[in-house]
Amino acid sequence: MSTPLPVTDRTRFTRYRERQVTDRPALYDVLDHALVAHVAVVRGEGEQAVAAVLPVASARDGDSLLLHGSTGAGLLRAAAEGRTVTATVTVLDGLVVARTVFDSSMNYRCAVVFGVPVVVADDEKEAALRVLSEHLVPGRWDEVRRPTRRELAATLVLRLPLDEASVKVRADGPDEDEPEDRGVWAGVLPLHTAVGAPRTGDDVPAGVPVPASVPAAADRLASWTPPYR
Amino acid sequence: MSTPLPVTDRTRFTRYRERQVTDRPALYDVLDHALVAHVAVVRGEGEQAVAAVLPVASARDGDSLLLHGSTGAGLLRAAAEGRTVTATVTVLDGLVVARTVFDSSMNYRCAVVFGVPVVVADDEKEAALRVLSEHLVPGRWDEVRRPTRRELAATLVLRLPLDEASVKVRADGPDEDEPEDRGVWAGVLPLHTAVGAPRTGDDVPAGVPVPASVPAAADRLASWTPPYR
C-alpha cells in the first residue's frame, strides 16, 4: 500500500470536501491521463505578486512529475531559488446536464501539485526525456535517433516531487438539491480525447509509411474514456 | 477593427516570440473553444507566496471572461481585495511528431489573462449564468426552469476583463532545426474533443427523451477541430 497524500493547509478543500481524494493511485491516474500541466510561478512581491502560468508537457515518473521546461524561464528561476510552484492537471470527463442550471456541473479529475522543482541533472536528462516522449507517443523513442549532446544541453527538464498534492474528482450523474420535474431529461455527456487521422509533414517524401507508434498513440489516447462511479 | 492586445511586462514572451499573437480575435478563439479556465490566485507573502489554482467553468462575454466561482473562495477574496488573478485556457490541438524527439512538440492555443476579477452584481447574475450555460450546453437554458432567487444567491459569478492577455499559438507541422533523414515519417496527430453517447441519469423515468440541446452540444464540441496554418 502506498502512503496517502497528506492534507496540508494548501491542499485542504474548503468546499466540496466529498470530492477530495487522498489516495496516491488517484493522483497517478490524473497525471497519467494528461499530456500537459499548467505550471504557475509567483512573480513580483507584495500586492504586485501575480501568478505566471505556462502549459508544459508533463509525464509522471514514479513519485515525481517531469516537466518539459524548455520555455520555462520562470520555472528555472523557481528551481534555482527553491521556490514552490504549482502544477495543475485537469482531465475534463463530461458535462453534467441536470434538470436545473444550478445543479448542472462537470465531471473532471483535477490534480494540483505543490513543490519545488529540481533541474534534472545532465546524466539523467536522456532518461527523463525518454519518459516524457514515451508518455506522449509510446514507441517513438526507438523509431528515431537518440538526442545529440547539443540537443540535450538545449533541453531543460524539471522534476517536481509528488509530496504535496490535492486531487479532486467528480465522476457521477446529475444530483439535484431538490426533487425536480421527472419529465425533464438529465444525464451526462461524456467527453474524452478524439484523435484525427495523422497528417503527414509537407517535406516527407511519398511512400514513407506512418510508423507503428503513431496509430498506437492514437489508440491509447482514444481509450482514455471517462471513469464512472 | 478591434484594438490589438497590449504587450506588457507580464504578457511579453521571452522565448518562442514567433508564437505570440496579439490580435483580439485570436484571444476570443481560444476562450470560445474551452469549457474550463485554470484560475491562479497568489496566497501567502514573500518567500511563502504560492499560487493556488482552481479549474472553473468559463465563458467569454464580449470583452470579459465569466468565471463560475462557486468553489472559488480564493477568487472571491481576490475580487474583494482588488488582487490580480491569472486565468489560463489551453486547447491542445495535436501531437507534433518530428523526426527527432528534440523537435517534437505540440500544437496548441493558449491564452493567459491577467486581471482583477469583479463579482457580477445580483441584478446581472442571471444574464451572466445564461451566457455560461449557453456556452456549455447551448439551448439548455430554455429547456429547464429559471434559477430561483435562492439559487442565484448561492451562485458566484466573476467577470475578468480582457484588457491584459497573452496568446500563444502553435498550429503547424513538424519543423526540424537540422535536415534529418527523409526516410523517417514526421507529421501531426490532431487532437480534439470526443463526445460519447449521452448517459441518462439513474432517476430519469423510461421514455423521457434526450432533449435537443444535448446532441447539439455534442455536435458543437466535436466540430471544434484543430486549426492549421
Side-chain angles (χ1 to χ4, degrees), chain A residues 26-68:
Chain A
L27 172 64
Y28 298 164
D29 173 75
V30 184
L31 302 178
D32 292 347
H33 289 92
L35 306 176
V36 167
H38 281 111
V39 182
V41 181
V42 175
R43 272 202 203 145
E45 297 288 335
E47 306 249 309
Q48 300 304 314
V50 69
V53 183
L54 274 177
V56 297
S58 66
R60 187 175 66 87
D61 183 28
D63 266 319
S64 62
L65 186 66
L66 295 174
L67 303 169
H68 191 271

Side-chain angles (χ1 to χ4, degrees), chain A residues 9-10 14-16 19 35-36 38 40-43 45-58 68-73 81 83-86 88-90 92 95 97-104 106 108 110 112 114 129 133 136-137 140-141 143-145 147 150-152 154-155 168 172-174 176-178 180 182-205 208-211 213-215 217-218 221 228-229, chain B residues 9-10 14-16 19 35-36 38 40-43 45-58 68-73 81 83-86 88-90 92 95 97-104 106 108 110 112 114 129 133 136-137 140-141 143-145 147 150-152 154-155 168 172-174 176-178 180 182-205 208-211 213-215 217-218 221 228-229:
Chain A
D9 285 349
R10 292 198 286 224
T14 52
R15 295 198 50 172
Y16 289 110
R19 294 186 189 166
L35 306 176
V36 167
H38 281 111
V41 181
V42 175
R43 272 202 203 145
E45 297 288 335
E47 306 249 309
Q48 300 304 314
V50 69
V53 183
L54 274 177
V56 297
S58 66
H68 191 271
S70 67
T71 60
E81 297 174 359
R83 289 184 75 144
T84 299
V85 306
T86 310
T88 307
V89 162
T90 302
L92 194 56
L95 293 173
V97 182
R99 293 177 181 89
T100 66
V101 168
F102 182 73
D103 294 301
S104 293
M106 293 186 188
Y108 60 89
C110 176
V112 180
F114 297 97
L129 278 175
S133 177
L136 300 174
V137 184
R140 184 62 176 167
W141 186 269
E143 292 172 351
V144 293
R145 65 162 175 75
R150 200 181 57 77
E151 287 172 348
L152 288 175
T155 306
K168 195 190 254 180
D172 216 341
E176 283 113 16
D177 273 1
E178 310 276 341
E180 295 288 338
R182 287 289 181 266
V184 176
W185 186 88
V188 174
L189 201 54
L191 304 179
H192 60 113
T193 302
V195 188
R199 203 179 133 109
T200 299
D202 294 337
D203 62 359
V204 175
V208 173
V210 175
S213 66
V214 171
L221 289 169
Y228 285 106
R229 280 208 196 94
Chain B
D9 284 348
R10 291 199 286 225
T14 51
R15 295 199 51 172
Y16 290 109
R19 294 185 190 166
L35 306 176
V36 168
H38 280 112
V41 181
V42 176
R43 272 202 204 146
E45 297 287 336
E47 306 249 310
Q48 299 303 314
V50 69
V53 183
L54 275 176
V56 297
S58 65
H68 192 271
S70 68
T71 61
E81 297 174 359
R83 288 186 73 144
T84 299
V85 305
T86 311
T88 307
V89 162
T90 302
L92 194 56
L95 293 173
V97 183
R99 292 178 181 90
T100 65
V101 168
F102 182 73
D103 294 300
S104 293
M106 292 185 187
Y108 60 90
C110 177
V112 181
F114 297 97
L129 277 175
S133 176
L136 300 174
V137 184
R140 184 62 175 167
W141 186 269
E143 291 171 352
V144 293
R145 66 162 174 75
R150 199 183 57 79
E151 288 172 345
L152 287 175
T155 306
K168 196 191 254 182
D172 215 341
E176 284 113 14
D177 273 359
E178 310 277 339
E180 294 289 338
R182 288 288 180 266
V184 176
W185 185 88
V188 174
L189 202 55
L191 303 179
H192 60 114
T193 302
V195 188
R199 205 178 131 109
T200 299
D202 293 338
D203 62 357
V204 175
V208 174
V210 176
S213 66
V214 171
L221 289 169
Y228 284 107
R229 280 205 196 99

